[in-house]
Amino acid sequence: LQTPGVAFSRTKIRERAGAHVVVMRLESEPRANVVIDFALIPDPGGSHAYASLAIQPASVTFRPEDYGTEKEVLFVTGDDGTYFGDVEFDVSVAFRSVGDAAYANLAPPVLSVVVLEGDPAPGWIIADVSGRERLVAPAGSPPLAPGSVAGR
């Protein structure tokens, strides 16, 4: 007896900006068409302003006659060109099937896409309270010991 389910080639993408393929297949023959929908879960922290994610296509349909065929979903990630750090996107996966309750009620997997930072880290800038006196160090410089900026 086959158990309804879906298998993904990977559920975590940790890559630089670009197009990334995720292959998926059903683990058992459905009784009716099964539609799998993908959607981004909004980030209340605002980090999605520093990278982008598009999912193509936004939904995939498996039919009983082609359930054994692997299908591809393309995750297209982009970087905004400024240094922020890695940005994580959580992707909602939902199953729809009018004629197959086992697939319609299947617990969705968690998909996570992490866009790795591709921009160089900025140099360190240390300023006094007024902001007029400052010391700038290139990226990769060792940290400075605490002290007065004006005295350097």
Side-chain angles (χ1 to χ4, degrees), residues 31-147:
R31 293 188 172 109
N33 288 358
V34 174
V35 179
I36 302 174
D37 297 312
F38 300 96
L40 292 178
I41 298 172
D43 172 37
S47 68
H48 291 177
Y50 299 95
S52 62
L53 174 65
I55 304 167
Q56 303 167 349
S59 64
V60 174
T61 301
F62 287 93
R63 300 183 319 252
E65 58 270 14
D66 72 359
Y67 85 94
T69 304
E70 292 182 337
K71 305 220 179 211
E72 292 184 353
V73 178
L74 195 61
F75 290 84
V76 181
T77 59
D79 190 339
D80 74 340
T82 60
Y83 184 82
F84 177 78
D86 299 346
V87 176
E88 183 170 0
F89 293 87
D90 290 320
V91 179
S92 167
V93 180
F95 298 93
R96 292 184 286 132
S97 182
V98 174
D100 192 320
Y103 271 102
N105 296 317
L106 194 62
V110 175
L111 288 180
S112 176
V113 178
V114 178
V115 182
L116 298 178
E117 181 57 69
D119 302 303
W124 291 100
I125 299 174
I126 303 170
D128 68 357
V129 176
S130 71
R132 290 188 302 262
E133 298 286 337
R134 62 188 212 150
L135 176 64
V136 179
S141 295
L144 298 173

